[in-house]
């Protein structure tokens, strides 16, 4: 990621996605907090993002788009509830990122079947790479 503003934009997108089901679960907040920490976003800025409008950012790198999609998928699963609105929205976001719809479905299905709702980075990249061949 290039700069602080891009990191803020990505986290803002995640915050907007976290409330698509109408509420922010405590585990979602904790997950977002960990991501903010990982992105080196200050606690003050992190808290202020909950009161800002989502300004979509175009992610140029395919790897970073896949990484952001996976973060959103993890966020979707972290409260232990899969809402229909979340499932519709994550597909929409993935398509808008330019990701392959078939790969999106495969990744989400694999995460659903996983007892931890996580998949290996290798599997994640393989799914998206095989769509390019």
């Amino acid at each position: 990621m290039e700069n602080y503003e891009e990191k803020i934009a990505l986290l803002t997108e995640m915050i907007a996605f976290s409330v698509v089901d109408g509420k922010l679960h405590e585990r979602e907040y904790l997950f977002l907090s960990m991501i903010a920490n990982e992105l080196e976003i200050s606690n003050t800025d992190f808290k202020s993002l909950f009161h800002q409008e989502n300004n979509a950012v175009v992610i140029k790198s395919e790897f970073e788009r896949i990484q952001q999609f996976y973060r959103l998928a993890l966020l979707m699963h972290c409260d232990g509830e899969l809402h229909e609105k979340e499932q519709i929205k994550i597909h929409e976001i993935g398509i808008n990122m330019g990701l392959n719809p078939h790969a999106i479905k495969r990744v989400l299905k694999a995460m659903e079947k996983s007892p931890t709702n996580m998949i290996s980075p290798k599997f994640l990249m393989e799914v998206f790479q095989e769509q390019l061949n």
Side-chain angles (χ1 to χ4, degrees), residues 62-67 103 107 119-132:
E62 181 182 22
F63 175 75
E64 287 179 353
R65 290 192 312 265
I66 293 168
Q67 187 178 33
V107 166
I119 56 174
S120 74
K122 181 180 177 189
F123 175 78
L124 178 66
M125 295 310 294
E126 284 176 357
V127 168
F128 283 101
Q129 291 298 315
E130 72 186 28
Q131 298 305 315
L132 297 176

Side-chain angles (χ1 to χ4, degrees), residues 59-75:
I59 306 171
K60 294 180 177 116
S61 157
E62 181 182 22
F63 175 75
E64 287 179 353
R65 290 192 312 265
I66 293 168
Q67 187 178 33
Q68 178 67 359
F69 173 79
Y70 186 59
R71 283 188 201 117
L72 291 169
L74 288 171
L75 178 60

